[in-house]
Amino acid sequence: MFTTGYAANSATLQILMQKEDIAILDMGVHASVHEGCAFTNKKTFPHNNLEALEHILKMSESMYRTKLVIIDGVYSQEGDTSRAKEIYDLVKKYNAYLMIDDAHGVGVLGKTGRGALEDDGLLDKVDFITGTSSKTFGNLGGYVIANKKIASFLKFQSRQHIFSVTAPPSSAGIVKAIDLVDEEPIWKDKLWENINYLKTGLNDLGLDTGITCSAIIPVKIGDQNKMWDIGRILIENGVYTNPIMYPAVARKDARIRMTVTARHEKEHLDKTLNVFDDINKKNAYCEKNNNNYA
Ligand SMILES: Cc1ncc(COP(=O)(O)O)c(C=O)c1O
């Protein structure tokens, strides 16, 4: 365990990956993964592009001591999933290792809520799984799952682990939250009801929510200034969202990003839809497509 998901990713990679090695990253992975690769060789491939990944794996075949491919279970800006099964097969073909950051998948995806890897049968196959307690578990903390030998190596070698504060007593809430995934699956069902309700409502208003298949719902705006205006109107009307712009996404790809929870009530979601509807009707973002910001 680490104090954040950020530290779990950056510490694990800083310890394991040296100058003789190479880290191969999907372009959509989190900033903490990039930071973890500061002391190693790094190449990125376009999001979920298997041909590009295979090309890099082939090119680096005999050049490095260790090749580690790093992907997300669910991508934090689009809310889409990785092509984990195909990537796993490719990684094994080229004798590499695979690390998956499933910060947004655990508790949300999988038959029993064990995340993006569960339904593909990859949970006990992937070399490293990292994640956070700050999403589904509603707390602070990060983790890395690896075999016992590597886990204890990480504990002893990680500066972030040894020289930083340990988890406070309130972290006990994480243990209960993990139990609830099994004990009260009703929350996952409620979450998916809410996700489908909000996404369908936004799409019915003509808004573009991209390719999300998780609790992360982006509303694509495009222009950064328009996005700020919309974010401001939303908060003035009591709807808290995350305006996302460069460098988190490309300059022309600004969006309002929302995360649905199991504790949202229908009235919260309706209020959000109504504010979007009002913005859509009142202002000139819709010139082109009648009712589309983009
Ligand atoms: C994909 C992904 N990994 C890691 C993190 C970092 O987690 P934490 O907020 O616990 O530092 C985030 C966070 O926001 C994330 O989206």
Side-chain angles (χ1 to χ4, degrees):
M1 292 290 302
F2 291 84
T3 40
T4 61
Y6 192 105
N9 277 342
S10 61
T12 301
L13 290 164
Q14 277 171 21
I15 297 157
L16 295 179
M17 302 300 287
Q18 308 294 322
K19 59 181 188 324
E20 301 85 0
D21 309 312
I22 184 165
I24 305 170
L25 281 51
D26 184 291
M27 267 176 169
V29 295
H30 193 254
S32 51
V33 172
H34 287 272
E35 181 172 298
C37 296
F39 308 122
T40 191
N41 300 287
K42 181 178 90 174
K43 280 214 180 327
T44 54
F45 60 96
H47 180 46
N48 266 340
N49 185 323
L50 297 188
E51 292 73 34
L53 171 59
E54 181 156 21
H55 179 71
I56 299 173
L57 282 166
K58 222 181 248 170
M59 298 298 286
S60 20
E61 221 170 353
S62 52
M63 287 172 68
Y64 299 97
R65 181 179 61 179
T66 301
K67 301 182 286 292
L68 176 63
V69 174
I70 307 160
I71 60 175
D72 281 1
V74 172
Y75 285 87
S76 55
Q77 302 307 339
E78 291 297 335
D80 64 327
T81 49
S82 64
R83 296 169 68 179
K85 182 80 180 61
E86 294 154 281
I87 291 178
Y88 174 79
D89 292 341
L90 210 50
V91 162
K92 291 301 137 189
K93 179 175 165 190
Y94 287 93
N95 210 13
Y97 294 88
L98 182 59
M99 172 168 154
I100 302 192
D101 174 355
D102 203 20
H104 295 278
V106 170
V108 178
L109 298 177
K111 195 160 170 280
T112 67
R114 276 151 177 76
L117 309 180
E118 182 178 6
D119 295 345
D120 281 336
L122 290 177
L123 278 174
D124 56 356
K125 291 191 174 149
V126 167
D127 304 289
F128 305 96
I129 300 174
T130 63
T132 176
S133 309
S134 70
K135 318 287 181 205
T136 293
F137 305 146
N139 215 303
L140 276 182
Y143 56 86
V144 54
I145 301 169
N147 71 35
K148 273 196 176 152
K149 209 167 159 190
I150 293 183
S152 55
F153 179 72
L154 292 175
K155 262 187 218 164
F156 284 107
Q157 293 296 319
S158 159
R159 301 167 74 83
Q160 290 89 334
H161 188 77
I162 294 173
F163 297 106
S164 188
V165 68
T166 189
S170 57
S171 296
I174 298 168
V175 179
K176 186 62 197 168
I178 291 171
D179 285 345
L180 288 178
V181 173
D182 282 337
E183 288 167 7
E184 298 185 11
I186 186 177
W187 294 111
K188 185 158 80 75
D189 298 342
K190 176 87 166 70
L191 173 67
W192 275 99
E193 232 174 75
N194 285 347
I195 292 170
N196 292 329
Y197 187 81
L198 184 65
K199 201 166 88 168
T200 307
L202 291 164
N203 294 154
D204 287 348
L205 292 174
L207 302 176
D208 178 5
T209 53
I211 51 174
T212 180
C213 45
S214 67
I216 298 166
I217 304 198
V219 173
K220 305 288 187 79
I221 308 296
D223 181 85
Q224 206 159 286
N225 294 328
K226 286 178 191 170
M227 191 264 309
W228 279 121
D229 282 350
I230 294 167
R232 181 182 45 76
I233 298 170
L234 282 160
I235 194 79
E236 279 170 5
N237 283 277
V239 181
Y240 173 79
T241 61
N242 302 132
I244 304 283
M245 58 175 203
Y246 180 83
V249 294
R251 282 183 205 281
K252 286 185 174 166
D253 206 13
R255 80 265 317 259
I256 298 288
R257 177 176 172 268
M258 293 176 283
T259 310
V260 185
T261 80
R263 298 304 296 265
H264 281 124
E265 296 298 338
K266 192 161 169 286
E267 66 180 281
H268 302 128
L269 305 177
D270 281 337
K271 179 173 172 172
T272 306
L273 291 169
N274 288 338
V275 180
F276 269 108
D277 193 25
D278 276 356
I279 299 171
N280 219 5
K281 280 181 184 142
K282 278 188 200 141
N283 63 50
Y285 300 145
C286 19
E287 278 157 14
K288 265 197 200 154
N289 299 331
N290 188 28
N291 60 354
N292 196 335
Y293 298 126

